[in-house]
Amino acid sequence: MIKKCLFPAAGYGTRFLPATKSMPKEMLPVVDKPLIQYGVEEAMEAGMNNIGIVTGRGKRALADHFDVSYELEHQISGTDKEGLLKDIRRILEECTFSYTRQREMKGLGHAILTGETLIGREPFGVVLADDLCVGDELGVLSQMAKIYEKYRCSVVAIEEVPRDEVHKYGVIAGSELEDGVYVISKMVEKPSAEDAPSNLAIIGRYILTPDIFDVIRNTPPGRNGEIQITDALQTQATRNMVLAYRFKGRRFDCGSVEGFVGATNFFFERWKAARG
Ligand code: G1P
């Protein structure tokens, strides 16, 4: 069973300026919950209750969010507002939180390597909180954990995207092993539409085996001069099997305004339904 989940959360969130000038992008709320809380709830559902967060400068609000707020709780104690903290209280009861800081922005691979100290030598999940995922029945990480239990190798989540959008993603090529599960033969970070090996794009959910850390250490900078997890996984795929999994559900790219508004509308409908 995978117990740990890493949240790279050091990025600047430049696509959401000025909203993210002094607030971490992971704290942007979709209806009434910050993005990162959706990710943590998804990890928790998959049994990954040890949460590791790779933070950076200006990200203290993340650690404060996953902590008690005595003054606030005292104020609302006994009022009808108390219920609003129910979900976050459960998270605090059931999860542990550890933090480390990434001092320089050298890419997602580098961010994951920075988290090695929080993970150690065991398989772990990775959540990019700005990809907000809603699983059909199970959450996406739970679905992926099942694939991991069966094949015991790294797994990346994928979805089909239009050809003119492949340049925004890591893209895979592979052969289908079972319905929706591909053995990866090739991975390219942000290829042009002409160079893309397919239109199967990696989205921000990974399960990684711990040998990935040594691979990242030996991975030179790639696209945009950054150390890319896609390149490290490509190397891992030449040594061991790496799988891509077409998850069941939908995902909102909350790093873009369109995706963020789409997620807001979707969760607003749920929020209304929950209130009858
Ligand atoms: C990162 C990864 C990319 C992946 C994407 C998913 O890119 O490098 O391979 O497809 O996340 O959201 P970013 O969006 O951080 O540029």
Side-chain angles (χ1 to χ4, degrees), residues 54-196:
V54 180
T55 66
R57 285 181 292 281
K59 299 277 188 164
R60 291 209 184 110
L62 291 171
D64 286 339
H65 184 69
F66 295 111
D67 196 355
V68 283
S69 167
Y70 287 111
E71 198 179 320
L72 171 73
E73 301 200 18
H74 177 72
Q75 279 291 331
I76 66 172
S77 156
T79 73
D80 55 356
K81 298 228 170 72
E82 211 171 355
L84 297 175
L85 291 179
K86 186 170 66 56
D87 290 351
I88 186 81
R89 279 190 179 149
R90 191 168 76 89
I91 293 175
L92 298 188
E93 273 162 26
E94 293 182 20
C95 295
T96 62
F97 289 86
S98 318
Y99 301 87
T100 190
R101 277 211 197 195
Q102 188 185 10
R103 287 188 297 276
E104 303 166 279
M105 300 302 109
K106 293 207 259 179
L108 180 57
H110 180 260
I112 292 173
L113 183 58
T114 305
E116 181 181 22
T117 181
L118 306 177
I119 300 295
R121 306 299 301 169
E122 53 187 289
F124 60 103
V126 175
V127 169
L128 308 185
D130 49 14
D131 275 335
L132 178 43
C133 292
V134 187
D136 279 351
E137 282 164 25
L138 287 176
V140 176
L141 272 183
S142 298
Q143 296 174 35
M144 293 171 76
K146 286 193 170 184
I147 305 292
Y148 173 80
E149 293 301 329
K150 189 162 169 193
Y151 296 103
R152 305 264 158 190
C153 65
S154 292
V155 185
V156 304
I158 51 166
E159 76 176 4
E160 281 187 48
V161 298
R163 275 269 166 186
D164 61 357
E165 287 185 20
V166 288
H167 66 277
K168 298 186 199 161
Y169 300 96
V171 177
I172 70 123
S175 51
E176 203 160 6
L177 180 64
E178 60 172 277
D179 187 30
V181 180
Y182 300 77
V183 179
I184 293 179
S185 53
K186 194 166 183 214
M187 301 176 82
V188 194
E189 180 65 10
K190 306 200 171 85
S192 64
E194 304 82 65
D195 294 340

Side-chain angles (χ1 to χ4, degrees), residues 15 25 108-109 128 130-131 168-171 188-190 201-206 224 226 228-230 251 253:
R15 281 189 290 176
K25 64 172 173 170
L108 180 57
L128 308 185
D130 49 14
D131 275 335
K168 298 186 199 161
Y169 300 96
V171 177
V188 194
E189 180 65 10
K190 306 200 171 85
I202 301 169
I203 63 114
R205 299 291 182 276
Y206 304 78
N224 299 329
E226 296 179 335
Q228 300 292 350
I229 190 62
T230 305
R251 157 257 181 192
D253 171 17

Side-chain angles (χ1 to χ4, degrees), residues 29-33 38 263-265 267-268 271:
V30 170
V31 184
D32 55 359
K33 236 187 256 182
Y38 288 92
T264 301
N265 289 331
F267 281 97
F268 181 52
W271 181 88

